[in-house]
Amino acid sequence: MGIKLVSLFLLCATLAGCQSVAPNGPRIADVGHGIEVSRQAAWTVQEIGPPRGKHQYIWTVDGFALNEMVFTTGISRGDPIFPDPQDDYDLPVYHATMLPDEVMELVAASLRKFGYQQLRTDSLHPVPFGTATGFRFSFTYTTDDGLEMKGTAVIAQRGGLDVILFTAPTEYYFDHYLPMVEDVFASIRVFDVDVTIPACEFANALSLSFGCPTPKKTSN
Amino acid sequence: MRGRYLSGLFLAASLFNASGNVSQAAETIVPGYQPRMDSDEAGLWLEADQLESALRQSPQHVADEALNDYLETLVCGLAGAQCASIRVLAIETPESNAFCLPNGTMVVQTGLLLRMENEAQLAFVLGHELAHYLKRHSLTHHEARRNIEGSMHLLWMLSGFTLLPKLLADGWLAAHDRDQEREADADGFNAAVGLGYDPRQAEIIWSNVEQEESANPKRSSPSLFLADHPTNKERLAAMKQRAGELQAQMQANNLGTEAFRAVILPLRSAWLEQEINRGEFSESIAVLQRLIKSDPGDGHLQYYLGESYRRRNEKGDNDRALAAYRAAIAGTNAPVAAHRSLGLVALKSGQKTAAREAFHQYLALAPDANDRPTVEYYLKTIGE
C-alpha cells in the first residue's frame, strides 16, 4: 500500500482555482489581510482561490504534502477557514465571539473534516503577531495510511481571523524545516488592521473591558 | 419509447430473478475452511488479508491486552466450533461499527464499545457480524453485484441509455443486502441467547441507535428502496417480538455488566474525547446523557457532556455546559480541564467572578499546564 499524504494544497486546489507565484519573487510576501512576511528563496508559492473574495497562499520546499505552510487570512464571520464552496466537507465556521481556545478547536475540527486522523492539539499560548497578539499551538495527526505528522499554527483575531499553519511528517521533515518556519512567524508584520490591541476581536464581541477601541464596520 | 420502457422493465424483472438464483446462500463455513485458490472467494480473502495486515500495523490498532483478551473470549464463545478461524482487532475510531472480513477477521471499533452498556449488547452485535462471516455473505454479495451489473449493461442499452436500469439494479441489490442483514440479525440473536444473554438487550441496542440518530437533525436516511440495511424501527420491532417469545421459553438473563465495565471503563475517557471530536455534538449529547444514567457521578462523562454543549454552542448551551462542568467537578475523577472549560464558558457568559475562580482553580490544580500562559491571558482580560 503506497503512502497517501493529505495535502491542504491538493484539497484546496481541487475546490478552487490556483496559480503559481514566481518562486524568485520579492523576499517580502503579502499574504493578505494586511499581513506581510519574509520569504526565503527555498519556498515555492502557490496562490489558491479566491474563495469568497479571500486568498490563500500555500508554500512548500520539497513538495506539497511533504511540507506545506498555509496562509488563510481575513476569514469573515460565518465563513469556514478553508474554501469549501460546494459544502462538500461540511466545515465548521468562524464566529467573532470565539475565544482563542475555540479558534484552535475550529482549526482542528476543519482539518479532521479533511481526513486528518487522531488529531491532537497542544500548548496554546499567546505570541506576538506583528504589533498585535496572536496565539500559537502545536498539533499531531496521522494520515489515512498511518504516517505520523506534526503541525504548528499561529492564529490571530483582528477584524477577521488569520490562520498560518505548517505541517510535515514527524520523521525528518518537521524538525528540519522548523527553523525556517520560525523565521516566517517572527517576520510577521501587520498593516491596515481594524484592531491591533490584543484579543480585541473576542473582547469586543463579549463586551469585556480591555481598553479596546470600538471596532470599525467592515465589509465582513 | 413507452413500449421500450415496458419491455425493458419486464426483461429487468426476468434478469434480476435469474441473477437472484446465482446469489442464493453459499454453504456455511466449516472449521478450517480455505477457499479454492482459483475462486472469486480467494480474491476476497486476499483483499481481506491485506486489510487485516494494514489494520494491525495502524496506529489505531488498540494494543490493550485486557481488551483484546476480553473480545477474543467473547467472540470465541459466539463462534463455538469456528473459534480458531476468528481473529479480533480493536480499532480506535469514534464511529460506532463492527464488521467481520471474509477471512474471519472481526474488527471492533471503539465507537461501538463506547455505546454498549453491557456484554450482552456487545454479544448481539458481534454475533450479527459473525453470522455475515459464517454465512459467507460477502461472497454472495460479490456474486450478486457482478451478475446484476452484467444484466444492467444490456438493459441500459435496451432502455435507450437511461438511468432506470441502474436504479432498478441498485434497488434490487439493496433488497438483497437487507435480506442478508435480517439473516445476520436472526443468527446473531440466536447465538447470543444460546450463551444465556438477556434477549431484551438486542431491542435496547436498536432503541439507543434510533434515539441517537434522531437527535441529529442533519442526519438523513437513505430511501427505503435503496437502503442496504433494514430500518432501525424494523429491527427494533423484530428483536422485541423475538425477545418476548424467548423470555417465555427460557431463563436467559445474563448481562455481563461487571466484566464488561472492568475492561471498558479504564479506556473510556480517550474514546469520549474522540467521540466529541466527530463534531456531531447532538449525537454525542444523546450518547452521554444515556451513559450518565448508569454513572451519574462520573466526572469524565459530565465533563464531556459539558464539552459537547460548549462546542455545539446553540441557544441555552452555555448554561447546560456550566451545569455539566459543575456536576463533573462535584463528581468523581473529573479531569482538571473541567475547571478551565468552566472558566471559558463563564467568561463567554459574562460571569467574570465565576470565570476568575475557575481559572485560578485550574492553575492551582495544574500549575505546569502547557496552556498556562493562555489562561493567565484570559485572567488579564477580566481585569487581573
Side-chain angles (χ1 to χ4, degrees):
Chain A
M1 185 182 295
I3 293 292
K4 185 175 66 181
L5 294 166
V6 179
S7 164
L8 278 174
F9 165 71
L10 295 174
L11 285 165
C12 295
T14 306
L15 296 168
C18 69
Q19 64 180 79
S20 295
V21 174
N24 293 320
R27 293 297 176 89
I28 301 297
D30 176 350
V31 292
H33 200 217
I35 302 170
E36 285 184 352
V37 293
S38 299
R39 181 178 65 77
Q40 293 182 28
W43 291 106
T44 296
V45 179
Q46 286 280 344
E47 182 178 353
I48 308 284
R52 296 181 190 166
K54 300 289 186 290
H55 287 258
Q56 283 193 319
Y57 299 87
I58 305 190
W59 298 5
T60 186
V61 177
D62 297 300
F64 299 106
L66 275 182
N67 43 68
E68 57 186 30
M69 176 118 78
V70 179
F71 301 82
T72 176
T73 56
I75 298 152
S76 307
R77 303 163 191 191
D79 276 354
I81 296 175
F82 303 105
D84 186 20
Q86 305 298 320
D87 274 341
D88 296 321
Y89 291 91
D90 189 26
L91 296 179
V93 298
Y94 172 61
H95 300 288
T97 55
M98 284 178 160
L99 299 170
D101 271 274
E102 294 171 310
V103 175
M104 177 176 71
E105 289 167 355
L106 175 68
V107 173
S110 304
L111 296 177
R112 286 190 190 102
K113 292 280 185 180
F114 284 140
Y116 288 43
Q117 309 276 327
Q118 297 187 307
L119 192 147
R120 292 184 177 88
T121 56
D122 198 15
S123 303
L124 181 72
H125 61 280
V127 292
F129 192 88
T131 51
T133 293
F135 286 80
R136 182 156 172 191
F137 62 93
S138 54
F139 56 100
T140 58
Y141 63 97
T142 58
T143 66
D144 278 349
D145 295 321
L147 184 66
E148 294 182 3
M149 305 284 287
K150 266 187 178 178
T152 183
V154 173
I155 54 178
Q157 294 167 272
R158 28 181 288 280
L161 173 65
D162 305 316
V163 178
I164 305 173
L165 58 87
F166 174 75
T167 56
T170 304
E171 189 170 326
Y172 179 72
Y173 287 99
F174 185 85
D175 289 340
H176 182 72
Y177 289 114
L178 191 57
M180 281 176 69
V181 175
E182 297 290 358
D183 285 347
V184 174
F185 286 173
S187 72
I188 292 170
R189 291 197 298 166
V190 293
F191 302 94
D192 190 26
V193 293
D194 295 314
V195 180
T196 55
I197 295 178
C200 278
E201 177 91 345
F202 72 79
N204 277 322
L206 297 171
S207 303
L208 295 171
S209 57
F210 199 62
C212 293
T214 305
K216 290 180 200 168
K217 293 212 167 177
T218 67
S219 59
N220 292 343
Chain B
M1 180 65 84
R2 186 183 174 87
R4 187 191 292 171
Y5 273 134
L6 289 174
S7 60
L9 284 170
F10 178 76
L11 186 56
S14 314
L15 288 169
F16 290 176
N17 282 336
S19 51
N21 292 335
V22 175
S23 64
Q24 280 176 353
E27 288 178 22
T28 301
I29 279 181
V30 294
Y33 174 79
Q34 289 285 326
R36 275 196 356 254
M37 286 300 288
D38 60 348
S39 65
D40 285 348
E41 195 171 18
L44 293 175
W45 279 49
L46 181 63
E47 287 178 14
D49 288 345
Q50 290 168 343
L51 179 56
E52 180 189 354
S53 174
L55 287 171
R56 282 192 188 282
Q57 293 168 34
S58 158
Q60 290 166 279
H61 180 204
V62 182
D64 187 89
E65 197 174 336
L67 177 66
N68 285 313
D69 288 349
Y70 176 77
L71 292 174
E72 291 274 1
T73 304
L74 177 59
V75 172
C76 210
L78 290 163
Q82 308 280 358
C83 170
S85 308
I86 313 291
R87 282 114 29 224
V88 184
L89 285 177
I91 297 296
E92 195 171 85
T93 183
E95 281 70 35
S96 177
N97 201 9
F99 52 92
C100 199
L101 299 174
N103 67 350
T105 306
M106 174 76 80
V107 179
V108 184
Q109 300 186 175
T110 51
L112 174 76
L113 297 172
L114 174 67
R115 284 163 173 76
M116 297 293 101
E117 297 168 326
N118 52 47
E119 187 174 289
Q121 291 182 6
L122 185 58
F124 283 109
V125 175
L126 300 187
H128 169 105
E129 300 305 330
L130 196 59
H132 281 311
Y133 164 71
L134 296 173
K135 290 288 174 71
R136 297 157 80 192
H137 281 167
S138 56
L139 175 64
T140 50
H141 173 89
H142 171 78
E143 289 175 338
R145 174 169 287 283
R146 187 183 57 194
N147 282 294
I148 204 73
E149 283 176 352
S151 305
M152 193 186 74
H153 189 70
L154 175 61
L155 285 171
W156 181 59
M157 290 189 288
L158 289 173
S159 72
F161 304 101
T162 70
L163 287 174
L164 185 61
K166 179 174 185 337
L167 191 63
L168 287 169
D170 288 348
W172 181 87
L173 198 60
H176 176 270
D177 291 348
R178 285 198 298 273
D179 287 343
Q180 288 193 338
E181 293 300 323
R182 291 189 186 101
E183 185 177 40
D185 274 350
D187 286 8
F189 185 90
N190 291 336
V193 172
L195 293 177
Y197 290 111
D198 178 3
R200 291 166 299 189
Q201 296 304 310
E203 170 201 342
I204 293 171
I205 296 168
W206 292 112
S207 173
N208 290 341
V209 170
E210 180 72 16
Q211 186 184 40
E212 181 181 333
E213 292 187 354
S214 63
N216 184 355
K218 288 190 299 183
R219 183 183 278 270
S220 61
S221 301
S223 73
L224 283 177
F225 179 65
L226 290 174
D228 56 7
H229 280 57
T231 64
N232 296 334
K233 283 188 174 65
E234 178 192 326
R235 299 174 99 164
L236 199 159
M239 294 299 176
K240 193 171 187 173
Q241 182 185 349
R242 191 88 177 95
E245 292 165 8
L246 283 170
Q247 276 286 300
Q249 298 168 18
M250 55 195 298
Q251 296 298 317
N253 55 14
N254 179 22
L255 293 177
T257 306
E258 284 184 19
F260 176 82
R261 287 169 64 87
V263 173
I264 299 300
L265 293 194
L267 304 169
R268 195 164 68 176
S269 179
W271 301 345
L272 289 168
E273 179 79 32
Q274 292 170 355
E275 166 59 27
I276 64 165
N277 282 340
R278 284 195 309 129
E280 301 294 348
F281 303 118
S282 294
E283 291 183 13
S284 298
I285 288 166
V287 171
L288 285 157
Q289 285 175 329
R290 183 165 56 76
L291 293 175
I292 285 170
K293 283 181 186 168
S294 302
D295 289 299
D298 186 305
H300 272 108
L301 293 177
Q302 294 283 4
Y303 166 68
Y304 284 108
L305 179 64
E307 290 291 271
S308 301
Y309 282 127
R310 179 176 70 78
R311 289 166 66 172
R312 187 174 70 170
N313 198 27
E314 290 181 358
K315 190 177 179 187
D317 278 350
N318 277 352
D319 289 341
R320 297 184 189 102
L322 288 172
Y325 293 134
R326 289 183 173 124
I329 291 164
T332 54
N333 299 322
V336 175
H339 295 279
R340 184 194 57 197
S341 290
L342 197 157
L344 293 178
V345 179
L347 179 64
K348 293 192 72 168
S349 305
Q351 301 176 33
K352 295 180 187 176
T353 304
R356 193 177 292 120
E357 286 174 5
F359 286 141
H360 279 300
Q361 189 64 18
Y362 172 65
L363 294 180
L365 292 170
D368 299 324
N370 58 28
D371 63 348
R372 184 181 185 99
T374 299
V375 175
E376 289 173 339
Y377 192 87
Y378 292 141
L379 283 166
K380 202 171 157 191
T381 65
I382 49 179
E384 289 201 2

